[in-house]
Each structure stands twice: as structure tokens, then as C-alpha cells.
């Protein structure tokens, strides 16, 4: 390998001078020590050949346009600080703690937010650490399935976390429920929107996440229609396990959708001066879409409860019908038992014991009573 890799040089047409990434050998500004699981200290290894990196893309944007070249996140931040109306969008996918710590030292991120970004087990929330805003989003994606069963995965969830600073935005993605490459490509075609800086990126990512909510909600409605039809179809078994599975998947979806209402309300508030006024208008549009999704989810939850109650009522009715059938057949069998019990007594003087046609006569009587009972039960819906 060569000692240094010469970066491409690019001309900034708006600033009138050249911006170029520095030649570098991937020095990592990591924290000095990280504890192992057993408590012993270790030195984090730099990302390099043979070691995977969580960096997906790093772009420098000046006056709403992306600057060409392959940028290291440290060089890109230094270049953005030296320009007016410039910022860095650093995209990460499931970064390791050592790499995330090195990035945090370079960008001045709070250690609590860094820990949340690595663990990815957070509810949607909005926090502020100094001049950096930390926004947590839960992503959702509908999983296609040929048939809904008690083991079907209907909704796949993940997380996207955004660090929004004065001249940078860091997106940390966990899972594949929402890919951000299409968001970046679409946003780079909208220079007027990118002129608003990192908050424009935050809006675009949030809008994409909420749009996926709407898609999931629309497709969940189809599954609910199938469940509802099966429950009221007398030819179908209508297994109750499928209803519980659907309810579990809906609960997981609700955990992504419902808590996001408060962060969006904060971002659209007039007293929020961190978000540019023009971008707040865009966030209000996202909030409207989220409100629609919340209404759909609540209605789906009520519908699922109704479907579940209907199915439980059907099970109770079916059990009652079965008990009536059993009781009807038991009544018919009781006729034969009664006659057999009477003539099974060990008495010498019993009527009709010496009658030649006594045996076939009793059989005919028992059969006649049984047929009469059968017709009566059939007429009343017991059989």
C-alpha cells in the first residue's frame, strides 16, 4: 500500500476556491481506552483493511450542492467549518462502539447519546446536548407474506438516530426497515431545500420514515380484512392464534408510531428557534401524515379487539352447540338405559315377562321413543 492516498480535488463554484479532502492514512481519533466485557481495558483498533466500517457515505454540501470527492469525516467537518452555508452529512449503519466513539470525539457528541446510538433500543425521542440535537426515530417496513399464520412476521422495525449540529448531520441506521440512500439521492436533487442545512436532511429522513408508516398502515388493512372475513366465514376454522399474532405485530408498530408525536410537536412549535422557519413548515406536513397514521393504528387496534371478541363469542357459541348435541344424544340413550335397567331387575313377578312378543315389543317401543326424541331435537336445532 502507498503511504498516502491523494484525494480528488474539487472546485467550489460558489465560494470561488478549491476544496479538496486531505491525503490521509486513516488515523483514528478514538478514545484512549474502552473496557472489555470482563472490565479489562483495551485499545480500540482503527477501521482499516480487514475491518468493517459503519460509514456508508460522507458528503460535504456547500450552498446546497454536494462537493465531489471521497471525504473522510474529520476532513469534511474541517472543510465545512471553513465555509459559509456548508455542512456534512455522515451516514452510518450499525457502527461499532470504538468507531462511534472516534466520531463522537471529532464532532463533539455527548457520551449518553453515543451510547444510545450504539445500543439502538430507544423509544422515539428528541433531546438536546449543547448545540447538538439528538432525534431518535423507529422505522417500520411491511413484510410480504403469502398467507397470514400464527408465526408470520408482518412488520419489521429498526431505528434511525440523527445527530443534528450547526454544520453537520450524522445519521445512524439500525436494521434495514428504512434505507437512506434514496433519501440522499432525492434530497441532492433539491438544492433549494438543502440550502437550509442539516435540518433539511432531518426533515427528509423523518418524512421518509413517516411515509413508510403510511405504507405499512395501508397494507395492514388488507390483512385485517382477511382476518375479519375468516372469522365470520362459517366454513373457515378462524384460528384465534392468527388474531393474537396480528395483535402482537400491531403493538410493535404502535411502539414506533405513537411516541413520535411529541418530538414532532416540539420541532413544529413556534418557540423552537433551532429549526429554521421554512423547515418547520415541512415538519408540519410530516406531523399531519403522522396524525393520519396514528388514527389508522388506533382504529386497527379497536377493530382487532372487536374481531377477537367476536371469535371468542363464536367459540363460546360453538361449545354451547356441542354441549346441546351431547345432551340430546344422552337423552336418547337414556331411554334405552331406562328400559334395560327396569327389566334388568331380579324380580319374579314383573309384567310381560311371560309375553311371547315382549322382547320385540320393548325394542320397538324404545326405538319409537328414540326416533320421536330425535325429530324433536332436530326441529329445535339441537341436532
Amino acid at each position: 500500500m502507498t503511504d498516502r492516498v491523494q484525494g480528488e480535488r474539487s472546485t467550489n463554484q460558489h465560494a470561488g476556491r478549491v476544496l479538496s479532502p486531505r491525503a490521509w492514512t486513516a488515523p483514528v481519533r478514538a478514545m484512549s481506552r474502552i473496557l472489555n466485557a470482563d472490565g479489562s481495558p483495551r485499545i480500540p483498533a482503527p477501521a482499516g483493511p480487514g475491518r468493517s466500517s459503519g460509514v456508508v457515505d460522507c458528503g460535504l454540501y456547500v450552498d446546497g450542492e454536494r462537493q465531489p470527492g471521497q471525504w473522510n469525516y474529520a476532513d469534511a467537518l474541517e472543510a465545512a467549518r471553513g465555509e459559509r452555508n456548508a455542512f456534512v452529512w455522515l451516514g452510518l449503519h450499525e457502527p461499532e462502539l470504538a468507531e462511534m466513539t472516534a466520531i463522537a470525539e471529532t464532532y463533539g457528541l455527548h457520551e449518553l447519546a453515543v451510547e444510545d446510538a450504539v445500543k439502538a433500543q430507544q423509544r422515539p425521542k428528541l433531546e438536546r446536548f449543547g448545540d447538538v440535537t439528538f432525534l431518535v426515530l423507529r422505522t417500520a417496513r411491511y413484510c410480504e407474506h403469502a398467507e397470514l399464520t400464527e408465526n408470520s412476521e408482518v412488520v419489521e422495525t429498526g431505528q434511525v438516530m440523527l445527530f443534528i449540529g450547526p454544520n453537520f448531520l450524522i445519521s445512524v441506521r439500525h436494521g434495514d426497515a428504512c434505507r437512506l440512500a434514496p433519501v440522499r439521492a432525492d434530497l441532492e436533487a433539491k438544492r433549494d431545500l438543502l440550502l437550509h442545512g442539516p435540518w433539511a436532511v432531518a426533515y427528509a429522513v423523518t418524512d421518509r420514515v413517516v411515509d413508510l408508516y403510511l405504507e405499512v398502515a395501508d397494507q395492514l388493512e388488507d390483512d385485517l380484512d382477511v382476518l375479519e372475513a375468516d372469522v365470520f366465514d362459517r366454513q373457515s376454522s378462524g384460528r384465534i392464534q392468527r388474531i393474537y399474532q396480528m395483535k402482537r405485530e400491531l403493538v410493535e408498530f404502535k411502539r414506533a408510531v405513537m411516541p413520535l408525536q411529541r418530538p414532532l410537536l416540539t420541532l413544529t412549535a413556534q418557540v423552537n428557534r433551532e429549526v429554521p422557519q421554512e423547515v418547520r413548515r415541512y415538519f408540519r406536513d410530516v406531523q399531519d401524515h403522522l396524525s393520519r397514521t396514528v388514527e389508522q393504528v388506533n382504529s386497527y387496534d379497536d377493530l382487532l379487539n372487536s374481531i377477537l371478541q367476536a371469535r371468542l363469542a363464536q367459540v363460546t357459541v360453538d361449545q354451547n352447540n356441542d354441549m346441546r348435541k351431547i345432551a340430546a344424544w344422552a337423552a336418547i340413550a337414556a331411554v334405552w338405559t331406562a328400559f334395560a335397567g327396569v327389566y334388568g331387575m331380579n324380580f319374579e313377578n314383573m309384567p310381560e315377562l311371560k309375553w311371547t312378543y315382549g322382547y320385540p315389543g320393548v325394542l320397538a317401543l324404545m326405538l319409537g321413543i328414540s326416533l320421536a326424541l330425535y325429530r324433536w331435537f332436530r326441529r329445535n336445532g339441537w341436532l
Side-chain angles (χ1 to χ4, degrees):
M1 295 178 59
T2 60
D3 295 333
R4 291 184 178 273
V5 179
Q6 184 63 36
E8 298 181 12
R9 300 182 62 85
S10 62
T11 302
N12 185 348
Q13 298 176 353
H14 303 280
R17 67 186 186 85
V18 173
L19 292 178
S20 63
R22 278 188 273 169
W24 53 289
T25 57
V28 176
R29 302 176 188 176
M31 68 180 194
S32 59
R33 290 174 180 266
I34 298 177
L35 295 181
N36 286 316
D38 59 0
S40 61
R42 63 181 176 86
I43 304 298
R51 179 181 175 85
S52 61
S53 173
V55 177
V56 177
D57 197 358
C58 181
L60 172 64
Y61 299 85
V62 180
D63 290 332
E65 291 187 356
R66 178 166 182 165
Q67 304 301 297
Q70 298 295 325
W71 291 87
N72 169 255
Y73 61 81
D75 297 333
L77 180 62
E78 184 177 347
R81 287 173 175 171
E83 291 290 320
R84 291 187 58 187
N85 201 16
F87 70 94
V88 178
W89 181 0
L90 175 61
L92 304 173
H93 179 242
E94 299 180 357
E96 297 290 339
L97 178 59
E99 185 176 23
M100 193 66 206
T101 303
I103 295 173
E105 289 189 355
T106 302
Y107 284 79
L109 308 180
H110 197 278
E111 60 181 352
L112 293 179
V114 171
E115 181 181 359
D116 291 345
V118 173
K119 289 184 177 180
Q121 297 175 352
Q122 304 298 314
R123 299 174 74 250
K125 63 180 181 178
L126 180 70
E127 294 182 339
R128 188 162 181 84
F129 299 94
D131 59 352
V132 177
T133 302
F134 182 53
L135 176 61
V136 178
L137 307 169
R138 290 198 67 176
T139 57
R141 180 179 66 179
Y142 182 80
C143 299
E144 297 290 345
H145 47 271
E147 182 183 1
L148 182 64
T149 66
E150 54 267 27
N151 298 316
S152 296
E153 183 182 11
V154 181
V155 180
E156 177 189 355
T157 58
Q159 285 201 325
V160 170
M161 304 172 185
L162 304 178
F163 295 89
I164 309 157
N167 43 28
F168 66 86
L169 181 137
I170 301 175
S171 58
V172 183
R173 178 170 61 90
H174 289 265
D176 293 324
C178 177
R179 296 182 180 271
L180 299 183
V183 178
R184 188 187 289 263
D186 183 63
L187 194 58
E188 288 176 356
K190 301 177 180 178
R191 179 174 177 272
D192 292 341
L193 185 57
L194 273 177
L195 285 173
H196 296 290
W199 280 107
V201 180
Y203 150 73
V205 174
T206 307
D207 183 57
R208 175 58 179 165
V209 170
V210 174
D211 284 347
L212 286 176
Y213 290 168
L214 289 171
E215 293 179 11
V216 172
D218 291 340
Q219 291 172 304
L220 282 176
E221 187 174 4
D222 296 335
D223 285 333
L224 290 176
D225 290 341
V226 172
L227 274 180
E228 189 176 18
D230 286 347
V231 166
F232 293 101
D233 183 7
R234 302 306 299 172
Q235 304 300 323
S236 175
S237 60
R239 291 175 61 86
I240 202 169
Q241 291 88 341
R242 296 194 304 162
I243 303 176
Y244 276 111
Q245 175 65 16
M246 191 65 186
K247 193 162 184 64
R248 282 197 298 266
E249 295 295 312
L250 185 62
V251 167
E252 184 177 1
F253 185 46
K254 286 180 65 175
R255 289 173 181 170
V257 174
M258 307 299 281
L260 187 56
Q261 297 178 91
R262 178 167 293 182
L264 279 183
L265 185 63
T266 303
L267 290 175
T268 56
Q270 292 293 333
V271 295
N272 192 335
R273 300 304 177 188
E274 289 80 15
V275 183
Q277 182 177 358
E278 184 65 26
V279 179
R280 284 204 302 270
R281 295 193 183 99
Y282 286 99
F283 272 116
R284 277 194 287 271
D285 181 67
V286 176
Q287 188 180 26
D288 291 340
H289 292 171
L290 181 65
S291 298
R292 173 187 162 188
T293 306
V294 170
E295 292 175 358
Q296 286 181 286
V297 170
N298 287 332
S299 65
Y300 294 165
D301 196 21
D302 294 340
L303 180 59
L304 261 180
N305 289 333
S306 300
I307 292 174
L308 182 59
Q309 293 300 322
R311 182 56 189 151
L312 291 174
Q314 285 183 346
V315 170
T316 302
V317 170
D318 291 341
Q319 289 176 342
N320 290 336
N321 290 336
D322 292 340
M323 291 302 299
R324 288 197 302 180
K325 290 179 181 180
I326 294 173
W329 286 112
I332 294 174
V335 175
W336 296 73
T337 304
F339 277 90
V342 169
Y343 282 91
M345 298 179 181
N346 295 320
F347 293 106
E348 292 185 1
N349 299 318
M350 292 185 68
E352 311 301 340
L353 286 178
K354 304 298 183 179
W355 185 33
T356 304
Y357 301 103
Y359 179 71
V362 170
L363 288 180
L365 180 62
M366 289 190 294
L367 183 60
I369 296 175
S370 298
L371 289 175
L373 287 174
Y374 179 80
R375 290 188 63 185
W376 186 81
F377 285 133
R378 287 279 295 181
R379 186 181 303 114
N380 288 275
W382 284 49
L383 289 176

